[in-house]
Amino acid sequence: MTITPTLKKIERKSLVSPKGFTATGIHCGIKHKKKDLAVVISDVPASVAGVFTTNAIQAAPLKVTKDVVYNTKKMQAILVNSGNANACTGKQGHLDALAMQQLAADQFDIPANLIGVASTGVIGEPLPMAPIIHGVSKLKANDELTGALDFAQAIMTTDTVMKSTSYATTIDGKEIVIAGVAKGSGMIEPNMATMLGFITTDAAIESEDLQAALSSVTEKTFNSITVDGDTSTNDMVLVLANGLAGNDTLTPAHPEWSTFVDALEMVSQDLAKLIAKDGEGATKLIEVNVTGAVSDEEARKIAKTVVGSPLVKTAVFGCDANWGRIIAAVGYSGTQINPDTITIKLGDILVVEDSEPVKFSEDQAMNYLKQHEISISVDLHHGSGEGRAWGCDLTYDYVQINASYRS
Amino acid sequence: MTITPTLKKIERKSLVSPKGFTATGIHCGIKHKKKDLAVVISDVPASVAGVFTTNAIQAAPLKVTKDVVYNTKKMQAILVNSGNANACTGKQGHLDALAMQQLAADQFDIPANLIGVASTGVIGEPLPMAPIIHGVSKLKANDELTGALDFAQAIMTTDTVMKSTSYATTIDGKEIVIAGVAKGSGMIEPNMATMLGFITTDAAIESEDLQAALSSVTEKTFNSITVDGDTSTNDMVLVLANGLAGNDTLTPAHPEWSTFVDALEMVSQDLAKLIAKDGEGATKLIEVNVTGAVSDEEARKIAKTVVGSPLVKTAVFGCDANWGRIIAAVGYSGTQINPDTITIKLGDILVVEDSEPVKFSEDQAMNYLKQHEISISVDLHHGSGEGRAWGCDLTYDYVQINASYRS
């Protein structure tokens, strides 16, 4: 993508960097010791957009939050717990998700139909309401860096690092800030929405246009990462836009519309890559770039197939330039290709041309694969479609983490 | 399936148990020490059927062998090497596969267009012809058990056990024997044909009907296993039927047609389960039975999705009754389900009913999951479709094997 010149990555306070947002996170007792309850609040009702998991089994909080996104069409606060997904918990689970919404409404004096809720953690165990009831009564959001960090920590499960990013840009001469935080490192797969992501901005934009912008960037960002092919029951990305930056309301007809969409894409891409890099047990971020495909969509499909192949992932872990597994994954991606015109590079090292091996230095390739960010390029020479996907290596630690998750 | 009463599993001599087949396997020097070159020969030209990988990148030996199956429509011998896949090797690879065919033709005095060839091993390295030329000149097939064992060993790559099975049945009052041998433990995925499998029988049947029988059982057997979701460039199943049992030629109109198809299905199912159980690094065979789906096809798709989920596979490895991952996999299988009517059992232990958790003994479940053959049953209560799939757990050893395969 071409980056708008005014777009600047900023440090500042993450989720609370845009005007009029506060946040916090605490330990309430769902987990043993770590933070497990978080809230982010806008000073005023915000426009809202959301993308949700495509899993046919959907957790209770998704149903409650979708109701706010699709019916209220505004949102002012999001209450999130980690340690329990409130999924496959039946009627009681639905009542518990509604109770979370009501607790936040009472605590923050906001109408319940403006509150989103999200849960992440173990599936199929009843949500422990006592610690949540007590916890919500202790939540005091603030607009300091600590509030944003506490929020980012409290939504983590097997994540090893907090994931947040912020950008500033200028629209109508006003500074617009857009920031995001995410969690997720297992059950990460292409079919939206495969993690929790919360994005705040002070841009002025109606919910409908915000949804259009989010949908347009999701396919190229959150839907282009894969860790293990498992699509969760719970995951969602929400964007709140409270308008406090004072720009003219953004619409696709606004001359700086693409400035906003670019900023949203950069935030989404940063979060997506952070999630892929922190894939359970991962030691490396893998980026696969595909060119020369029949269409952009097919290019992305090929990129996701390659980056999702367990054999490619283990080869990258083992620093083994085993390009045969890469070309095999291209072959089984279910796309239109010419089997005789494929070029493959590991970083800058050409390893396959016209689908045949090229002599290369194994030492040089092994040294390249020891990096923490690996790029694989596949040119199909079969069209003009381009696409990218991100994933991570498959390691002993992935097995360890997932063989004992509940215990 | 209902087994024909006359169908009996037999021990005897595996691949050479049917009348008129000989085999052998030797070390020729593609691998360091292990056997790497094998041949099976029928005394007379046999009817032939084959299924081949759906990967768009197909290895040279597949192209040569398909020509025999589709054009000659008879086959008398199959020459197989392990240690090198002769895939992505360009024009030279094709010439090398043809050379293998010609070498076997000269050595065994059989027309080249009656010789199938197969290769398995590393992708993208030129086939070392010197050891193959020398090796073929040393091949002396026999109809003893040692010949069959040598063949089974010589086609192995990362396999830890030989895989063979034999059945006898009666058709037209004649004893018909059908035997099979297979290799494969990584790059194993549903979309045919995901391993090497060679089946011999002395039944009399024309190639066209043999192909129909093979195709009808493949979906329920070889295509219903998954180890890691990677579909190979090389894999195939071939059946040779030489007619020496002396039955009346089998056709779908023959009163004992289903006797033959059942025997072929049992051989194929045994081989498929042996491959799944010997999945790279696996400690357990996992069988998933799905009932109550909209169709048999959708039931198989769900079964394959569950058995292929890395999170389910690691949970089984860790003896963790984490049914949430099972129901999540059902949910993302891309099939028609009712999210509220799902029942799940681990062995006989009911863990989910109406898509909600059921109280069960974690100790009992953990003890069950310590077995080496695990059964997961999913009833969708949404139709009458049934299907099964087989796979294995995901372990540290899978990572180890695949992080260092080439070195």
Side-chain angles (χ1 to χ4, degrees):
Chain A
M1 59 183 285
T2 338
I3 303 297
T4 320
T6 59
L7 186 66
K8 284 194 298 278
K9 194 164 168 67
I10 57 175
E11 296 298 327
R12 289 195 243 175
K13 297 175 292 180
S14 177
L15 208 56
V16 299
S17 292
K19 292 186 190 70
F21 285 96
T22 56
T24 192
I26 62 168
H27 170 70
C28 78
I30 304 170
K31 294 180 182 167
H32 276 297
K33 285 187 177 173
K34 291 182 177 171
K35 293 195 178 76
D36 51 16
L37 191 67
V39 71
V40 57
I41 304 172
S42 169
D43 291 350
V44 297
S47 295
V48 63
V51 281
F52 301 92
T53 186
T54 54
N55 197 308
I57 312 281
Q58 304 220 339
L62 268 82
K63 297 178 189 168
V64 171
T65 299
K66 281 182 175 179
D67 194 38
V68 177
V69 173
Y70 299 143
N71 295 322
T72 312
K73 294 180 184 167
K74 290 273 176 185
M75 191 177 283
Q76 193 169 353
I78 310 168
L79 180 66
V80 191
N81 76 276
S82 61
N84 184 307
N86 193 14
C88 304
T89 43
K91 194 163 283 183
Q92 187 58 48
H94 188 68
L95 294 174
D96 290 342
L98 288 170
M100 276 179 69
Q101 189 182 44
Q102 190 59 51
L103 287 166
D106 294 347
Q107 174 71 9
F108 305 111
D109 199 18
I110 294 170
N113 70 353
L114 287 174
I115 310 267
V117 291
S119 300
T120 177
V122 176
I123 297 176
E125 293 184 5
L127 196 62
M129 290 307 291
I132 292 177
I133 292 167
H134 184 69
V136 171
S137 75
K138 301 277 177 193
L139 288 174
K140 293 199 191 329
N142 64 76
D143 67 356
E144 301 300 316
L145 177 60
T146 54
L149 293 182
D150 289 344
F151 181 98
Q153 274 179 4
I155 66 172
M156 288 164 63
T157 55
T158 52
D159 304 63
T160 66
V161 294
M162 286 187 290
K163 299 169 183 72
S164 66
T165 188
S166 315
Y167 286 84
T169 191
T170 307
I171 293 177
D172 297 326
K174 313 281 185 182
E175 183 189 56
I176 303 281
V177 177
I178 178 162
V181 63
K183 66 77 49 177
S185 60
M187 267 207 184
I188 301 296
E189 236 284 311
N191 293 310
M192 222 333 76
T194 53
M195 25 70 72
L196 294 183
F198 304 106
I199 297 172
T200 53
T201 179
D202 43 23
I205 180 171
E206 292 298 329
S207 294
E208 189 177 71
D209 292 326
L210 186 61
Q211 184 68 50
L214 178 62
S215 299
S216 77
V217 306
T218 294
E219 200 53 43
K220 289 185 278 184
T221 57
F222 297 117
N223 281 357
S224 289
I225 57 175
T226 183
V227 169
D228 53 18
D230 279 274
T231 308
S232 160
T233 55
N234 276 59
D235 297 344
M236 64 172 104
V237 176
L238 294 174
V239 186
L240 302 190
N242 68 11
L244 295 182
N247 58 294
D248 297 339
T249 301
L250 283 158
T251 69
H254 188 293
E256 290 171 292
W257 170 252
S258 69
T259 303
F260 176 74
V261 175
D262 285 354
L264 183 62
E265 180 171 342
M266 283 309 295
V267 167
S268 300
Q269 181 177 300
D270 279 4
L271 295 178
K273 287 171 72 173
L274 285 166
I275 291 168
K277 188 170 186 175
D278 194 32
E280 287 174 342
T283 66
K284 296 168 192 176
L285 175 70
I286 308 174
E287 175 171 303
V288 178
N289 282 285
V290 174
T291 51
V294 167
S295 65
D296 290 355
E297 195 187 348
E298 291 228 338
R300 275 198 298 273
K301 190 172 175 190
I302 293 165
K304 284 195 273 189
T305 304
V306 171
V307 87
S309 156
L311 291 173
V312 171
K313 290 154 66 78
T314 45
V316 170
F317 173 55
C319 300
D320 180 5
N322 196 328
W323 57 264
R325 296 176 178 177
I326 298 169
I327 200 169
V330 172
Y332 70 72
S333 62
T335 56
Q336 290 178 56
I337 64 165
N338 178 338
D340 299 321
T341 59
I342 300 168
T343 301
I344 298 176
K345 284 184 185 178
L346 302 175
D348 291 330
I349 307 165
L350 182 70
V351 295
V352 173
E353 194 160 27
D354 292 337
S355 302
E356 290 187 39
V358 167
K359 278 243 180 297
F360 63 93
S361 155
E362 289 277 352
D363 283 353
Q364 195 193 348
M366 182 181 288
N367 280 331
Y368 176 70
L369 292 171
K370 284 179 181 162
Q371 312 302 310
H372 290 294
E373 304 209 351
I374 304 301
S375 163
I376 298 173
S377 306
V378 177
D379 192 337
L380 301 167
H381 299 289
H382 194 52
S384 57
E386 297 185 353
R388 259 192 302 190
W390 296 275
C392 59
D393 52 344
L394 174 58
T395 70
Y396 300 111
D397 286 352
Y398 176 86
V399 177
Q400 185 178 26
I401 290 164
N402 286 301
S404 57
Y405 179 59
R406 294 195 319 160
S407 33
Chain B
M1 60 182 287
T2 337
I3 303 295
T4 320
T6 59
L7 186 67
K8 283 195 300 278
K9 194 166 168 66
I10 57 175
E11 296 297 328
R12 290 196 241 172
K13 297 176 292 180
S14 176
L15 208 56
V16 299
S17 292
K19 291 185 190 69
F21 285 96
T22 56
T24 191
I26 63 168
H27 169 71
C28 78
I30 305 171
K31 294 180 184 167
H32 276 297
K33 285 186 176 172
K34 292 182 176 171
K35 294 195 180 75
D36 50 16
L37 191 68
V39 71
V40 57
I41 305 171
S42 170
D43 291 350
V44 297
S47 296
V48 63
V51 281
F52 301 92
T53 186
T54 55
N55 197 309
I57 312 280
Q58 304 218 340
L62 269 82
K63 297 178 189 167
V64 171
T65 300
K66 281 183 176 179
D67 193 39
V68 178
V69 173
Y70 300 144
N71 295 321
T72 312
K73 295 182 183 164
K74 289 274 175 185
M75 191 176 283
Q76 193 169 352
I78 310 168
L79 180 67
V80 190
N81 77 275
S82 60
N84 184 307
N86 193 13
C88 305
T89 43
K91 194 162 283 181
Q92 188 58 47
H94 187 68
L95 294 174
D96 290 343
L98 287 170
M100 277 180 68
Q101 189 182 43
Q102 190 60 50
L103 287 167
D106 295 345
Q107 174 71 8
F108 305 112
D109 200 18
I110 293 171
N113 70 352
L114 287 174
I115 311 267
V117 291
S119 299
T120 177
V122 175
I123 296 177
E125 294 184 4
L127 195 61
M129 290 307 290
I132 292 177
I133 292 168
H134 184 71
V136 171
S137 74
K138 301 278 179 194
L139 288 175
K140 294 199 191 332
N142 64 76
D143 67 355
E144 301 300 316
L145 176 60
T146 53
L149 293 181
D150 288 343
F151 182 99
Q153 274 178 4
I155 66 171
M156 288 164 62
T157 55
T158 51
D159 304 63
T160 65
V161 294
M162 284 187 289
K163 299 169 182 73
S164 65
T165 187
S166 315
Y167 286 84
T169 190
T170 308
I171 293 176
D172 297 326
K174 313 280 185 183
E175 184 190 55
I176 303 281
V177 176
I178 177 162
V181 63
K183 65 80 45 178
S185 60
M187 268 206 184
I188 301 295
E189 236 284 312
N191 294 311
M192 216 343 73
T194 54
M195 23 71 72
L196 294 184
F198 304 106
I199 298 172
T200 52
T201 178
D202 45 22
I205 179 172
E206 293 298 329
S207 293
E208 188 177 72
D209 292 326
L210 187 61
Q211 184 68 50
L214 177 61
S215 300
S216 77
V217 306
T218 295
E219 201 53 42
K220 289 184 278 185
T221 58
F222 297 116
N223 281 356
S224 290
I225 56 174
T226 183
V227 169
D228 54 19
D230 279 274
T231 309
S232 160
T233 54
N234 276 58
D235 296 345
M236 65 172 103
V237 176
L238 294 174
V239 187
L240 303 190
N242 68 10
L244 297 181
N247 57 295
D248 297 342
T249 300
L250 283 158
T251 69
H254 189 293
E256 290 173 291
W257 170 253
S258 68
T259 303
F260 176 74
V261 176
D262 285 355
L264 183 62
E265 180 171 344
M266 284 308 294
V267 167
S268 301
Q269 181 178 300
D270 280 4
L271 294 178
K273 287 170 72 173
L274 284 165
I275 290 168
K277 189 171 187 175
D278 194 30
E280 286 174 342
T283 66
K284 296 168 192 177
L285 175 70
I286 308 175
E287 175 172 303
V288 178
N289 281 285
V290 174
T291 51
V294 167
S295 66
D296 289 356
E297 195 188 348
E298 291 229 337
R300 273 198 299 273
K301 189 173 176 188
I302 293 165
K304 283 195 273 189
T305 304
V306 172
V307 88
S309 156
L311 291 172
V312 171
K313 289 155 67 76
T314 45
V316 170
F317 173 57
C319 299
D320 179 6
N322 196 327
W323 56 264
R325 297 176 178 178
I326 299 170
I327 200 169
V330 172
Y332 70 71
S333 62
T335 56
Q336 291 178 56
I337 63 165
N338 178 338
D340 299 320
T341 58
I342 300 167
T343 301
I344 298 175
K345 283 184 185 178
L346 302 174
D348 292 331
I349 308 166
L350 183 70
V351 295
V352 173
E353 194 160 28
D354 294 336
S355 303
E356 289 186 38
V358 167
K359 277 242 181 299
F360 64 92
S361 156
E362 289 276 353
D363 282 353
Q364 195 193 346
M366 182 182 288
N367 280 331
Y368 176 70
L369 292 171
K370 284 180 180 162
Q371 311 302 307
H372 289 294
E373 304 209 352
I374 304 301
S375 163
I376 297 173
S377 307
V378 177
D379 192 338
L380 301 166
H381 300 288
H382 193 54
S384 57
E386 296 184 354
R388 258 191 303 190
W390 296 275
C392 60
D393 53 343
L394 173 59
T395 71
Y396 301 112
D397 285 353
Y398 177 86
V399 177
Q400 186 178 24
I401 291 164
N402 285 301
S404 57
Y405 178 61
R406 295 195 318 161
S407 32

